[in-house]
């Protein structure tokens, strides 16, 4: 058997030892300086017996046991293993270097708490660490007259003024045309910019760095009129929804990392980044940050369209990444569900009552 160190590990100091973290496999463990030395030597595929022979001060059994432990913890990969295949695919596709990769993969599977637990934690934190100010004011100065908020709005400002996050939703259906509008005015390709010397670029209603447009739209439908419950992909070019899984999707609260308020939503739109589109043009890791920002551009359009149709579109980045990727059929390391919008009919009366109670 041949082995080598994983190319997707970072090492940090902690006390007198070292901490290994494989960001692709999401494995973290402490190790001794000897383990670090073994990993350091395994830059290329090496026969296991050669590794044993290079450590004469240790018994063969102890070295083999240590190597097996490091393989299990993904610090070392064995040739032909699934871990090796994933690492090879990652190296082939990911162009933004280890630092952007370490942040991206290490934060995909965050630990999210329930809303009640989060509120309880904030109340405790307020006792010893008050919240920083949530806005800043300017000092009085000559000519600095505040802009007044108008009593009435004209479009598109009326829709913008009505947009609110409303997570109290009725268990009622929404129209398919309304869902299609959410996709149309956020993700649909509206024109193609021809470039005879390079790549024809799709243009949309939201800005995108280099017009690379890295986002695809997916829909998990639970209660959409004229649409069988299931999972769908939206083609920005064809402007159509096509089923990718006939099975009813998991409970929406599970998909959104335990946010049970989403269970009444009629549908969830997932914004899935295909990083390779942006990587092809921009090799610098800072392009990762730009790609994340683009999700906000798209989501805001979806929210405004939903508001126009008197629907709630509640955005969240708290996702059960493993369950979402399985549900949407995402397999490449350069694909990632970044943002979700739970769409449904708002229960205005309950929301107003809840606000009054506070």
């Amino acid at each position: 058997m041949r082995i080598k160190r994983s190319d997707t590990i970072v090492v940090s100091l902690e006390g007198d030892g070292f901490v290994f973290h494989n960001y692709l496999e999401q494995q973290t463990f402490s190790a001794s300086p000897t383990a670090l030395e073994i990993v350091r030597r395994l830059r290329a595929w090496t026969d296991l017996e050669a590794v044993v022979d290079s450590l004469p001060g240790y018994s063969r059994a102890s070295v083999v046991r240590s190597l097996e432990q490091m393989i299990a913890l993904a610090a070392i990969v064995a040739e032909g293993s699934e871990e090796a295949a994933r690492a090879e695919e990652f190296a082939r596709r990911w162009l933004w270097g280890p630092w952007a990769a370490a942040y991206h993969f290490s934060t995909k599977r965050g630990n999210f708490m329930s809303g009640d637990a989060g509120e309880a934690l904030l109340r405790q934190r307020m006792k010893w660490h008050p919240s920083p100010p949530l806005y800043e004011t300017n000092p009085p100065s000559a000519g600095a007259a505040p802009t007044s908020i108008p009593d009435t709005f004209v479009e598109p400002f009326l829709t913008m003024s009505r947009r609110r996050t409303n997570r109290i939703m009725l268990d009622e259906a929404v129209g398919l045309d309304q869902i299609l509008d959410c996709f149309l005015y956020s993700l649909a390709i509206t024109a193609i910019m021809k470039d005879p010397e390079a790549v024809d670029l799709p243009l949309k209603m939201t800005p995108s760095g280099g017009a690379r447009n890295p986002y695809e739209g997916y829909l998990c439908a639970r209660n959409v009129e004229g649409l069988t419950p299931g999972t769908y992909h939206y083609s920005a070019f064809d402007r159509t929804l096509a089923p990718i899984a006939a099975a009813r999707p998991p409970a929406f609260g599970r998909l959104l990392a335990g946010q049970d308020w989403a269970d009444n939503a009629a549908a969830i739109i997932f914004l899935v980044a295909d990083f390779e589109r942006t990587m092809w043009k921009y090799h610098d890791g800072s392009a990762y940050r730009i790609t994340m920002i683009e999700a906000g551009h798209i989501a805001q359009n979806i929210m405004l369209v939903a508001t126009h149709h008197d629907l709630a579109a509640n955005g969240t980045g708290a996702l059960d990444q493993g369950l979402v990727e399985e549900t949407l059929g995402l397999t490449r390391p350069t694909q990632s569900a970044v943002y979700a919008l739970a769409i449904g009919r708002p229960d205005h009366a309950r929301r107003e009552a809840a606000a009054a109670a506070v």
Side-chain angles (χ1 to χ4, degrees), residues 53-77:
D53 293 341
S54 70
L55 297 166
Y58 300 87
S59 69
R60 183 184 186 281
S62 66
V63 173
V64 170
R65 185 166 56 251
S66 296
L67 292 174
E68 289 175 344
Q69 289 174 344
M70 285 193 282
I71 290 172
L73 293 167
I76 294 173
V77 293

Side-chain angles (χ1 to χ4, degrees), residues 145-352:
T147 303
S148 61
I149 298 176
D151 296 326
T152 59
F153 295 89
V154 297
E155 292 294 3
F157 309 113
L158 177 59
T159 299
M160 294 168 65
S161 69
R162 290 174 49 223
R163 192 220 65 79
R164 293 291 185 274
T165 296
N166 188 348
R167 292 180 170 176
I168 303 177
M169 291 175 284
L170 300 166
D171 190 6
E172 295 181 0
V174 302
L176 176 57
D177 288 345
Q178 296 169 330
I179 294 293
L180 289 173
D181 274 357
C182 288
F183 283 113
L184 175 65
Y185 295 104
S186 61
L187 284 166
I189 295 171
T190 57
I192 299 290
M193 185 169 66
K194 298 291 184 179
D195 188 339
E197 297 182 358
V199 180
D200 293 345
L201 298 174
L203 303 181
K204 301 185 179 183
M205 297 189 194
T206 58
S208 179
R212 300 306 299 170
N213 290 295
Y215 280 92
E216 291 290 313
Y218 289 80
L219 180 75
C220 283
R222 187 184 73 89
N223 198 359
V224 179
E225 295 170 354
L227 200 62
T228 302
T231 304
Y232 298 80
H233 170 256
Y234 180 77
S235 168
F237 183 80
D238 299 324
R239 298 185 296 282
T240 59
L241 280 173
I244 59 174
R248 182 179 289 269
F252 286 174
R254 289 183 58 209
L255 287 169
L256 303 188
Q259 299 181 88
D260 294 340
W261 56 263
D263 285 337
N264 270 3
I268 298 180
I269 291 176
F270 288 98
L271 301 181
V272 174
D274 185 340
F275 297 126
E276 289 185 77
R277 296 180 189 174
T278 304
M279 285 176 179
W280 183 86
K281 182 174 183 179
Y282 302 112
H283 292 187
D284 189 278
S286 62
Y288 173 80
R289 176 173 54 88
I290 302 302
T291 304
M292 295 293 103
I293 290 171
E294 289 186 25
H297 300 322
I298 299 166
Q300 183 71 2
N301 277 26
I302 294 172
M303 293 176 189
L304 292 176
V305 173
T307 301
H308 171 76
H309 287 301
D310 197 27
L311 299 177
N314 301 291
T316 180
L319 312 176
D320 184 327
Q321 286 286 346
L323 185 60
V324 170
E325 289 172 5
E326 178 184 349
T327 302
L328 303 184
L330 307 179
T331 57
R332 289 188 280 116
T334 47
Q335 287 178 303
S336 182
V338 171
Y339 203 68
L341 297 108
I343 297 176
R345 295 204 175 277
D347 189 334
H348 295 298
R350 284 180 59 204
R351 185 177 189 275
E352 291 171 3

Side-chain angles (χ1 to χ4, degrees), residues 31-54:
S32 65
T34 302
L36 180 62
E37 177 61 22
I38 293 173
V39 171
R40 188 189 67 81
R41 296 183 185 190
L42 293 174
R43 297 181 59 184
W45 291 115
T46 305
D47 186 80
L48 186 144
E49 293 302 325
V51 179
V52 174
D53 293 341
S54 70

